[in-house]
Every structure is written in structure tokens, then in C-alpha cells.
Amino acid sequence: MASVLAPLFPKLGSLGTSDHASVASINLFVALLCACIIIGHLLEENRWVNESITALIIGLGTGVVILLVSGGKSSHLLVFSEDLFFIYLLPPIIFNAGFQVKKKQFFVNFMTIMLFGAIGTLVSCAIISLGAIQTFKKLDIEFLDIGDYLAIGAIFAATDSVCTLQVLHQDETPLLYSLVFGEGVVNDATSVVLFNAIQNFDLTSLNPSIALSFLGNFFYLFLASTLLGAGTGLLSAYIIKKLYFGRHSTDREVALMMLMAYLSYMLAELFYLSGILTVFFCGIVMSHYTWHNVTESSRVTTRHTFATLSFLAETFLFLYVGMDALDIEKWKFVGDRPGLSISASSILMGLILLGRAAFVFPLSYLSNLMKKSSEEKITFRQQVIIWWAGLMRGAVSMALAYNKFTHGGHTQLQDNAIMITSTITIVLFSTMVFGLMTKPLISLLLPPQRQLSTVSSGANTPKSLTAPLLGSREDSEGDLNVPDLPHPPSLRMLLTAPSHKVHRYWRKFDDAFMRPMFGGRGFAPPAPRSPTEHSP
């Protein structure tokens, strides 16, 4: 690749061959990122295309150009690495999601989100795995064992709702946005935890003890990851509140928040937990406590810094997936059996559609049974959008597939190449087709007059970064349009309105203990500005 690109960069002749390739790669990726940002801005109001699809198309176009320049040898400058994805690109995306989320809406719908994100992912994984077992054998695909089939279920149960979230708006459709966003985060975490659990167990001989151990390990990872993220967020809040770095330098407290957030993710990886869940809940806790303990300039800086890092990581991922999709190394191994790869992709896409529908509509019905207010219930049209939003597959599925079926990003086996090319096909097809149709579908099912009706239920919803974790008294009760619940609470009242009772208990505990200890909303820093902010 260096020899191919060297004529394009003649002034770099004094550098070594590897330096040529590195500098060329960096320049190209920076230029492409700039192009994605500019073109994405120009197409912001386009009915069909969004920034994710724009980056994917630019990546595909760049891959074609590199293929022509290299004489058909390669279409990318970097080898896809799950380590690059999980260690460097995924943490800022997930942390910013937790940091920016409207916490009140998220926790009001927490049970529904957990139903979709955890139980729904397990249902989808089971259907995809069982369907693959039954159909792949008819295609003479005999190289997969039970562990591979379960891993395939976990790989393709991982959704990518970025395209849908770019169309939905928190203020216009708070319920729908909260459900799609919350399910996407929990789904990614569940898929990764499930995939790792499958990898760590010997599934060749299934028995009840292995199944119980598997479930126990799964729930342990879920709970431990959540507690680790919350604990790291509280530790950062306590340190900044007590030492108050802003007195000396705004840079220190901003740096501490960034490092503590990344530390939470790496600690989870160190202890074989779910870094996604850990950094997500770390972001939620930091936005509730730590963010209010810093100076005003630090609040503005951290908010835009985290959003910028997340945006760049997302754009880079879609850009690279588009370039990697045309990698000749993978496709040449299935050159003599292209029909098999197409058949496997079609079957898996059908199973994704079926597995998604198998839990969205039944669990939505179950969720509606637990809600008294009609405004809180999920309408059939909203259920269709939730189903549609989870049909797209993206970088998480790619990373898990590479982890399972490649070694260091390369595959030399035809059987593994079939699974990799099938994954690439599904990611491209689902993102391009379902992503392009997202805006028209939402406009059809939720026209503006219908969207305005949902705004009334969340018109007073506070901004994500100034809202209390579960809402203040006015937020959690007034916005939900429910009468005040009588005291003392009874078991029946707890069962009929669980979210409201939990909110009240949490609010009392937060006001009496958590905020005095860790700061948060209402905490007034002893010095409004740091010395570096004073004018000379």
C-alpha cells in the first residue's frame, strides 16, 4: 500500500516506507472526516440521508478509489481491529450517551427499557441462533458448532439505532426517543456480555448446571458493571467537591472528569466486566453530581468536549466500515461460493426481522399493562418505529464478528470468511435500506400534529445536563400529570405506580444523603471562577 500511495506523496521521500503509509493514512482519514462533516451539514435537512449514511457512502466510495489505485489489492489503509473499536472508539460514544441523556425520561421508562434491552436481546439471540441451526444445515454449512451458533445469535442481536436517533428528537418525542436510545445502550451491553459469556463456557455438552452458571455469570456481569460505573462517577464527584480543582485550574477538573470516565471503562475491561454498561452509568452519575461541582466554564467545556469526541468516533466508525466492506482479502475466499454467502446473509436478515418482532410487540403489550396513563403507553405506531429502529446492524456486530471469526483482523479460512462477508453484507444492507427509510417512515407514522401531542407530556422536561437524576418534585410528578400519591405508601400503591414511588424514595435519599456528600444540583462552588479565568 505504501508503494501505491508513495507517488501521491513525493515530498515524503525522506521518510521510511512504514512512515509513508502511516502519514498517508492519517492524512486521508482526516480529510475524509472533514468531508463527512461538511457534506453531512449540507445534507442535514435531507429527507433520506443522515450523517451516518453519508459517512458510510463516502467510505464505500473511498474504498473503490483505493481499489483502483492499488490494482485491486486492498480497499483500506487500516486493518479492522476489535481492540481499536472497544478500547478507543466505543467509550466516548457510550459515555456521552449517558452524560447527555434526559435522566428523568430514562428512569421513568427504565423497566420498559430493560425489558427491550435485556430480555428482548435474549429472545432475539435465541431466535437467531435456533433459526441458524435449522437453516444453515440445509445449506451444507457444517463447520459451526453450538458455541458458534450462539455467538452468531449474540452478534446479530446487537442493534445500531444511530440512524434513528439522528431523526428522533428528545423534545418532540420524549417517550419514543427514551425507549429507542435506552434500549440501544442496554442492548449493546447485553450483546457484548452475552457474547463474552458464551466464549467463556464450554457449550459442547449442555446441562442444567451449565445453564444456571451461565445465567448467574450473565447477571453478575450486569450488576457488577453497573455498580462499578456508578461508583467511579461518585468517586469523581467526591474528589472534585472536596478538592475543588477549579480554584487552581479549570483544565485540571476537565481532565479529571475525562480520565475518570475512561478509567471506569478500562477497570471494567480489566475485571472482565461490561465496559459499555460501566461507562454509561458513569456518565449518568457524573452528569448528576460531578458536572454540578465544577466551574461554569468547565461545564461548557466538558459538555462540548464529550459530544465532539463521540461525534468523531461515530463518524470514523461508519467511514471505516464502508472502506472495510470492499476488502478483497475477505471476498476472495468466498469467490467460488458466492451464492452461499448471499444465502447466509438473506437467512440471517430474515431471522433479524423475525427476532426483533418476536419481542417488541409482546413486550410492548406487557409494558402497557403496567401503565395507568394512556400518555405513557406505547402506541402501535410507536411500536413499529421501535421495531424498525432495531433492525440496523453496525460496528458492534462487526467487532464481535471479527473477534469470533478472524485472527488480528485477517481470515485465511473460507468458512470464517463466509461469516465475515455475511456480517458486512447485513451491516451495509440494513444501514443503507432501513436507514434511508427511517425519516419517511417516522414522518408517515408520526406526522407533525401527532408529534406535538407527545410534546405536551414532556414540554417541561428539563435539559439533560441540569435535570436531577429522577427529577425534582415538580419534574417527576408535575410533568407526568399524575396526582400525588398518598402517604404512607402501601404495597398495592407500589405495585400500581412503582416508578412514582421509587422516585419519591430516591428523591428523599438523594436530598438527605447523596447531595450533601457528593454535591450535585444546588451545590455552590466556593469560588465562581478559577484564577486563570480572571482578567489580568
Side-chain angles (χ1 to χ4, degrees), residues 447-468:
Q449 62 270 19
R450 185 173 182 84
Q451 291 180 6
L452 290 176
S453 65
T454 61
V455 176
S456 61
S457 64
N460 297 323
T461 303
K463 295 298 181 183
S464 62
L465 294 178
T466 59

Side-chain angles (χ1 to χ4, degrees), residues 77-90:
L77 303 178
L78 298 174
V79 177
F80 188 91
S81 170
E82 61 272 14
D83 291 335
L84 171 68
F85 172 72
F86 282 110
I87 295 179
Y88 300 107
L89 298 178
L90 191 60

Side-chain angles (χ1 to χ4, degrees), residues 117-119 121-122 186 189-195 197-198 201 211-225 274 277:
I119 305 301
T121 302
L122 293 175
V186 177
T190 304
S191 299
V192 174
V193 170
L194 188 61
F195 180 84
I198 292 172
F201 278 86
L212 290 176
S213 179
F214 177 82
L215 290 176
N217 184 60
F218 177 80
F219 287 111
Y220 160 75
L221 289 175
F222 229 93
L223 180 61
S225 301
S274 170
L277 270 181

Side-chain angles (χ1 to χ4, degrees), residues 326-468:
L326 299 177
D327 182 23
I328 296 300
E329 181 188 53
K330 306 176 186 65
W331 292 101
K332 69 181 181 180
F333 286 105
V334 297
D336 58 338
R337 303 180 68 185
L340 184 60
S341 179
I342 296 174
S343 299
S345 303
S346 302
I347 291 173
L348 288 172
M349 194 69 246
L351 292 174
I352 290 172
L353 293 168
L354 178 62
R356 181 76 183 167
F359 75 83
V360 168
F361 299 104
L363 292 183
S364 296
Y365 176 78
L366 180 62
S367 175
N368 289 340
L369 293 178
M370 298 186 293
K371 297 179 179 179
K372 294 294 183 180
S373 174
S374 59
E375 295 180 353
E376 298 178 8
K377 293 184 178 181
I378 310 171
T379 65
F380 179 75
R381 294 189 176 192
Q382 290 175 331
Q383 293 176 30
V384 173
I385 294 177
I386 293 173
W387 170 74
W388 185 272
L391 294 178
M392 286 168 274
R393 297 297 180 264
V396 174
S397 296
M398 289 276 291
L400 295 180
Y402 273 71
N403 181 279
K404 180 66 179 178
F405 297 107
T406 69
H407 179 71
H410 298 277
T411 177
Q412 302 294 330
L413 300 176
Q414 184 183 59
D415 298 338
N416 290 343
I418 290 175
M419 300 311 305
I420 295 296
T421 54
S422 298
T423 304
I424 293 174
T425 303
I426 290 173
V427 169
L428 291 177
F429 177 84
S430 62
T431 302
M432 297 294 292
V433 175
F434 298 134
L436 286 172
M437 294 299 296
T438 296
K439 271 189 179 180
L441 179 68
I442 293 177
S443 299
L444 176 65
L445 297 180
L446 295 178
Q449 62 270 19
R450 185 173 182 84
Q451 291 180 6
L452 290 176
S453 65
T454 61
V455 176
S456 61
S457 64
N460 297 323
T461 303
K463 295 298 181 183
S464 62
L465 294 178
T466 59

Side-chain angles (χ1 to χ4, degrees), residues 148-171:
D148 295 329
Y149 283 114
L150 291 177
I152 289 173
I155 290 169
F156 292 105
T159 65
D160 190 338
S161 54
V162 172
C163 291
T164 304
L165 291 176
Q166 289 178 349
V167 178
L168 294 173
H169 302 283
Q170 294 195 69
D171 295 325

Side-chain angles (χ1 to χ4, degrees), residues 34 39 78 138 162 180 204 247 407 469 495:
C34 293
I39 297 175
L78 298 174
K138 298 179 180 179
V162 172
V180 173
T204 55
R247 297 181 198 169
H407 179 71
L469 189 57
L495 294 176

Side-chain angles (χ1 to χ4, degrees), residues 8 11 46 52 104 197 208 233 237 254 261 274 289 319 335 347 392 415 434 448 489 498 501 522:
L8 301 178
K11 294 184 180 181
N46 188 276
S52 300
K104 188 189 70 174
V254 174
S274 170
Y289 296 109
L319 181 65
I347 291 173
M392 286 168 274
D415 298 338
F434 298 134
K501 301 307 297 181

